[in-house]
Amino acid sequence: MPSSRVLLAVVSLSLGAAALAAAQTTSERPRTVAGVCGATNWACVAECIDAECVDRCLREDCEKALARLKLCTEKAGCAPDDTQCSARACGNTCKRSFEPAPPSPEKEKADPCQGLPASAAKVPKELVGTWTLSAASLPEEVDGGGPERLEAQPRADYERTLQVMPNGCFVLRTKLEDATLGQGNQLVVRAWGLVELSGKDRVSLRTKDGQAVGPVCGDKRVIPLTRKKLKFRGGTYRWDLEEGTLTLMVDDASKQTFQFDRTPPEGGMK
């Protein structure tokens, strides 16, 4: 297991790539209209850990839609601190950029862990808590001897946290701010499910459900992320804990590694 002191770089997670592949299949785009950001994109984001994975999830359809929205707010002269300007001056452009349009199709699930059964194996006490992504590794691959790409710290507008509850429920959150979604828009994309343990150092995140919640185009959105053809895949990792740093290494040939710093209780997620 690599030491938590090793400087790591942010890269894509294999399960995020798999989710993106599903997102790119036309038959797996329920309700999403081509050329807009929709539930398929957010379901892909929900299982990402690193910034590059999120970028790929948003690139399909979202990229052009968000570029049009940004151009509109720039032409309107919206000040960076004016959260209502986008909705006021570019409301129609904004609504054409996102799916579904208001009103939201369901209510926000305040406690995602409520109603979930406890994990079969008791979660170690040291895993319980809220963890914030601090760094990740490059996948092991042959690149022809080219220069190594490094991004030592995650992007601030893709803030990610992993919360593990004593009963084995986990919630993975990715916060997308207006720097990504356009002025006045924000979403917290959540995936939740159960932690499954096998052996002393293996853990699987079995996602059961998810939502994307936040203000978009002047209205609060609550977007469901589970439908018949929008399925989560989860992931299996080797884990290690050293001096308040949780290390998760993808349990496959890529051996991609993610490091999380423990968030103090007063800064934990509800």
Side-chain angles (χ1 to χ4, degrees), residues 94-128:
C94 189
K95 289 180 180 180
R96 287 195 299 269
S97 300
F98 293 93
E99 179 282 324
S104 295
E106 67 176 43
K107 293 183 179 180
E108 178 180 358
K109 196 162 186 176
D111 183 3
C113 293
Q114 186 175 11
L116 284 181
S119 295
K122 187 175 181 180
V123 176
K125 287 184 179 180
E126 57 265 37
L127 278 180
V128 174

Side-chain angles (χ1 to χ4, degrees), residues 2-3 22 24 36 50 68 72 75 85 100 104 109 121-122 134 137 146 155-156 198 202 212 218 241 248:
S3 170
Q24 291 176 326
V36 301
D50 60 274
R68 288 193 298 267
C72 181
K75 286 184 176 180
C85 181
S104 295
K109 196 162 186 176
K122 187 175 181 180
S134 58
S137 72
R155 285 173 51 176
S198 57
R202 279 188 177 87
L241 189 61
L248 297 179

Side-chain angles (χ1 to χ4, degrees), residues 54-203:
V54 176
D55 281 337
R56 288 200 309 275
C57 292
L58 296 181
R59 196 169 297 137
E60 182 68 19
D61 290 335
C62 273
E63 192 171 39
K64 291 182 179 180
L66 294 177
R68 288 193 298 267
L69 180 57
K70 182 178 180 180
L71 181 62
C72 181
T73 56
E74 287 177 349
K75 286 184 176 180
C78 292
D81 58 349
D82 187 347
T83 59
Q84 297 300 314
C85 181
S86 178
R88 183 176 64 250
C90 302
N92 289 334
T93 300
C94 189
K95 289 180 180 180
R96 287 195 299 269
S97 300
F98 293 93
E99 179 282 324
S104 295
E106 67 176 43
K107 293 183 179 180
E108 178 180 358
K109 196 162 186 176
D111 183 3
C113 293
Q114 186 175 11
L116 284 181
S119 295
K122 187 175 181 180
V123 176
K125 287 184 179 180
E126 57 265 37
L127 278 180
V128 174
T130 300
W131 305 87
T132 300
L133 182 71
S134 58
S137 72
L138 288 168
E140 294 183 357
E141 61 181 25
V142 178
D143 61 3
E148 187 179 53
R149 293 182 301 108
L150 294 177
E151 184 182 352
Q153 296 298 326
R155 285 173 51 176
D157 53 325
Y158 290 169
E159 179 185 340
R160 279 136 304 201
T161 60
L162 173 66
Q163 183 182 22
V164 179
M165 305 296 287
N167 67 351
C169 174
F170 77 87
V171 183
L172 180 63
R173 292 173 170 86
T174 302
K175 186 176 182 181
L176 304 178
E177 298 184 340
D178 53 7
T180 300
L181 300 181
Q183 189 173 349
N185 301 324
Q186 294 184 15
L187 282 175
V188 176
V189 182
R190 303 179 297 164
W192 59 81
L194 295 176
V195 174
E196 295 181 2
L197 299 168
S198 57
K200 291 191 293 187
D201 66 347
R202 279 188 177 87
V203 62

